[in-house]
Amino acid sequence: MPAPKIPPVVVDVERLNEPFRAKAKALLASISEHRLPMMVFETLRPLERQAWLHAKGYSRAAGPNGPHPWGLAMDVILDPKSTEWKEIGDRPIGVGGGGANWDTGYNPTAGGLVLARPGVAHVVRTFGELIKAQGLEWGGVNVGAWADGRKGSEFGWDPFHVQMNGWRLWRAHLPPPS
């Protein structure tokens, strides 16, 4: 039996809807300006992909009930392949629990997110400040495996979900997602 087809990930910021697109671009410019080792993982999410993610249990939102299909959200991840990654500090600090990934600072067995590298904690705090500065909402860090089956450590983190503040109100001004 062939493996199930995984709907593709969209990473194009231009496919986001306004006014979120402008805010997302400003956020990404701020990320670059602050030299945070981050990259876009997913932007607009077609309904086919949203349905697949929901069926797999990777998303709580069914159909068009989340901000991604409306082009009002994006996921950003830490990028350990970036030159900035080397600047955030390589010495891990101890945390409890087993199964820690010291390269990324994520410990899946410690009851959630554990920032083991001081530099990672700085990146996360700064990212949160930049989101607030743009008037956006941070949906939090999605914990677990990647929605397409890869483990989060393959890219360095699970996605950081950012969405338009009050996105439910904005969708009334947009055409239905496809």
Side-chain angles (χ1 to χ4, degrees), residues 90-115:
D90 291 322
R91 188 176 59 83
I93 60 174
V95 295
N101 182 332
W102 296 115
D103 291 331
T104 63
Y106 176 65
N107 185 339
T109 62
L113 184 68
V114 176
L115 301 173

Side-chain angles (χ1 to χ4, degrees), residues 26-172:
L27 174 63
L28 294 172
S30 293
I31 287 170
S32 179
E33 181 182 311
H34 284 82
R35 300 185 49 76
L36 300 181
M38 303 183 96
M39 63 188 239
V40 175
F41 176 74
E42 185 167 24
T43 58
L44 177 75
R45 188 178 291 156
L47 288 176
E48 175 190 23
R49 181 163 171 80
Q50 185 64 46
W52 184 85
L53 291 169
H54 182 70
K56 291 287 191 181
Y58 297 124
S59 176
R60 287 176 282 172
N65 296 324
H68 276 285
W70 296 92
L72 297 172
M74 72 175 173
D75 295 332
V76 180
I77 60 171
L78 291 177
D79 181 7
K81 295 179 181 174
S82 72
T83 56
E84 291 84 5
W85 180 256
K86 293 171 181 57
E87 299 172 12
I88 68 170
D90 291 322
R91 188 176 59 83
I93 60 174
V95 295
N101 182 332
W102 296 115
D103 291 331
T104 63
Y106 176 65
N107 185 339
T109 62
L113 184 68
V114 176
L115 301 173
R117 295 173 74 173
V120 173
H122 165 75
V123 170
V124 172
R125 278 192 304 274
T126 304
F127 182 63
E129 292 167 5
L130 298 177
I131 290 169
K132 286 180 190 175
Q134 292 302 322
L136 297 171
E137 293 178 349
W138 187 0
V141 179
N142 299 317
V143 178
W146 288 81
D148 60 5
R150 295 173 291 176
K151 297 296 182 194
S153 61
E154 183 176 335
F155 278 93
W157 211 265
D158 290 343
F160 291 87
H161 175 85
V162 180
Q163 62 192 29
M164 183 69 187
N165 192 7
W167 68 269
R168 286 177 181 84
L169 298 174
W170 286 103
R171 69 182 177 181

